[in-house]
Amino acid sequence: MMVLGIVLFALGIMVSIVLHEYGHMRVAQWSGMKVRRFFVGFGPTVWSVRRGGIEYGLKAVPLGGFCDIAGMTAYDELAPEDEPRAMWRQAWWKRVAVLLAGPAMNIVLAIALFYTVALGWGLVNRDVQPIPTDRVAAVVGDTCAGADRCGVGVGPAGEAGILAGDRITSVDGLPVDSWSDLSEVVSARPGQTVPVTLDRAGETVTTTASLTSSSVGGQERGALGVQLSEEGIPQEILDDPAYQTVNTYDALGAVPATFVFTGEMIEATIDGLISFPSKIPAVAASIFGAERADDSPVSVVGASHIGGQAAEQGAWWLFLLFLAGLNLFLGAFNLVPLTPFDGGHIAVVFYEKIRDALRRLRGLAPGGPADYEKLAPITIGVFVLLMGVSAIVITADFVNPILLTG
């Protein structure tokens, strides 16, 4: 199942790339521009075919793709019959529409995947509220509470004398006002022996528990061996969406929920994109044995490996969510205002518009197409930097991949 998941996720990435470039191609055609080539991958051509004046093909390195539109810059060599259809000759809004179409397709695909998850499994409630204090009860776990205590007795809670029905009010002197509070306090104290105060049918009981320690996502976390009990909690509390970690929807209700969730994920994606450069040194360090953070950048290799792990665990909802999140990141990354990204070409279009507006105020004629030769050093620098970062991340994905916890 792991291999199948990797293959399926890699195909998902391929489909995402194809749809991105298809967005560019279709809007270019609708705008009257000439599309010459549509390829998936880079490097030597593996296969190609010509249909309707467009060469479609597959190249040897499937790490991207491109849609070749005639005359993206005034320096492109064009056949005489293609001159009127050159991209740089078209209205500014048509050029921007073509450039935005690729990232827009990634966003549309992400929305479709989020909607699928909403219908099939439900969406994570990012604003989940902790169950009120007087609704929290503790139930002793009857299995291990940590990797080093698996199969031994009833775990630290049982050894400490905690009983089903007890309400935990403090741990290590810190008040526990909800189940999330309890989880946070206990998780931060792996392997420690801490005092625990209980409310047992109105009587205050104090005991001591030796928390277990287990590794979750590369971090050591403590465990007490208790579970949340629904006993005594009114049904209206259990049914209230505010207290649900996952909200489920019907086909109609999933629509607004999907757009709200997409908005939240776009915000998280932008934050991740801003923090992207600062995470690269840690990724490089992970190649040489340093711990790799769960939220560190991944390449196509690492993303496919995570997708394979999700499939192996039967977490297809996670598989789809990760693919959707990857599409949002690809869309946002392509809008970075630097050439050769789509956002860089959009920036050039707006530069031309602003420059010509200022020239008109001075009684001058429009300045013509931007000089892309002056942007060549920036373009080459960005490309070299991108290749270097890609090499670091791909290497880390091979030698120190991100592992999902089961």
Side-chain angles (χ1 to χ4, degrees), residues 81-229:
E81 64 272 18
D82 292 337
E83 283 286 350
R85 302 173 64 187
M87 183 175 181
W88 71 269
R89 292 184 179 275
Q90 309 306 311
W92 72 271
W93 61 268
K94 289 184 178 181
R95 295 162 64 190
V96 171
V98 170
L99 294 166
L100 286 177
M105 287 296 288
N106 290 123
I107 295 174
V108 169
L109 179 56
I111 292 172
L113 292 171
F114 287 144
Y115 182 76
T116 301
V117 174
L119 281 183
W121 297 271
L123 295 173
V124 174
N125 182 5
R126 296 169 64 87
D127 296 319
V128 62
Q129 299 297 311
I131 295 178
T133 305
D134 59 342
R135 309 301 181 189
V136 176
V139 175
V140 177
D142 57 3
T143 59
C144 61
D148 60 343
R149 300 289 288 278
C150 194
V152 179
V154 292
E159 294 174 357
I162 299 175
L163 304 177
D166 288 345
R167 184 165 65 87
I168 300 175
T169 57
S170 73
V171 175
D172 200 18
L174 297 176
V176 173
D177 296 326
S178 67
W179 185 259
S180 60
D181 284 349
L182 174 62
S183 177
E184 181 179 350
V185 172
V186 170
S187 295
R189 290 162 174 74
Q192 296 184 23
T193 299
V194 295
V196 179
T197 303
L198 314 167
D199 181 342
R200 181 174 294 165
E203 178 184 355
T204 299
V205 177
T206 300
T207 184
T208 300
S210 298
L211 306 179
T212 57
S213 176
S214 59
S215 179
V216 179
Q219 295 182 339
E220 291 298 314
R221 297 183 181 179
L224 180 58
V226 292
Q227 297 173 337
L228 176 64
S229 172

Side-chain angles (χ1 to χ4, degrees), residues 14 17-22 24-25 35-50 54-69:
M14 188 75 71
I17 294 171
V18 169
L19 289 177
H20 177 102
E21 299 303 330
Y22 181 77
H24 287 313
M25 183 181 74
V35 177
R36 297 182 294 197
R37 293 184 298 163
F38 185 96
F39 272 79
V40 174
F42 298 107
T45 299
V46 176
W47 167 88
S48 70
V49 64
R50 184 169 292 276
I54 302 174
E55 183 184 9
Y56 299 90
L58 179 67
K59 290 187 174 287
V61 185
L63 296 179
F66 63 91
C67 171
D68 176 25
I69 303 172

Side-chain angles (χ1 to χ4, degrees), residues 130-330:
I131 295 178
T133 305
D134 59 342
R135 309 301 181 189
V136 176
V139 175
V140 177
D142 57 3
T143 59
C144 61
D148 60 343
R149 300 289 288 278
C150 194
V152 179
V154 292
E159 294 174 357
I162 299 175
L163 304 177
D166 288 345
R167 184 165 65 87
I168 300 175
T169 57
S170 73
V171 175
D172 200 18
L174 297 176
V176 173
D177 296 326
S178 67
W179 185 259
S180 60
D181 284 349
L182 174 62
S183 177
E184 181 179 350
V185 172
V186 170
S187 295
R189 290 162 174 74
Q192 296 184 23
T193 299
V194 295
V196 179
T197 303
L198 314 167
D199 181 342
R200 181 174 294 165
E203 178 184 355
T204 299
V205 177
T206 300
T207 184
T208 300
S210 298
L211 306 179
T212 57
S213 176
S214 59
S215 179
V216 179
Q219 295 182 339
E220 291 298 314
R221 297 183 181 179
L224 180 58
V226 292
Q227 297 173 337
L228 176 64
S229 172
E230 296 182 355
E231 182 180 353
I233 302 177
Q235 193 61 40
E236 58 267 25
I237 291 291
L238 297 176
D239 295 339
D240 190 336
Y243 299 109
Q244 306 299 315
T245 56
V246 176
N247 291 328
T248 56
Y249 310 92
D250 57 22
L252 185 60
V255 174
T258 296
F259 281 102
V260 170
F261 188 79
T262 301
E264 294 172 346
M265 293 304 296
I266 288 176
E267 183 179 348
T269 299
I270 294 173
D271 290 341
L273 185 61
I274 293 173
S275 64
F276 180 87
S278 65
K279 294 180 179 180
I280 298 304
V283 176
S286 72
I287 296 175
F288 303 99
E291 184 176 325
R292 188 172 184 185
D294 292 341
D295 63 347
S296 68
V298 295
S299 66
V300 172
V301 174
S304 299
H305 186 246
I306 292 174
Q309 293 176 74
E312 185 177 40
Q313 296 176 15
W316 291 104
W317 59 271
L318 181 59
F319 180 99
L320 296 177
L321 282 178
F322 191 67
L323 183 58
L326 185 63
N327 268 274
L328 289 182
F329 185 82
L330 289 174

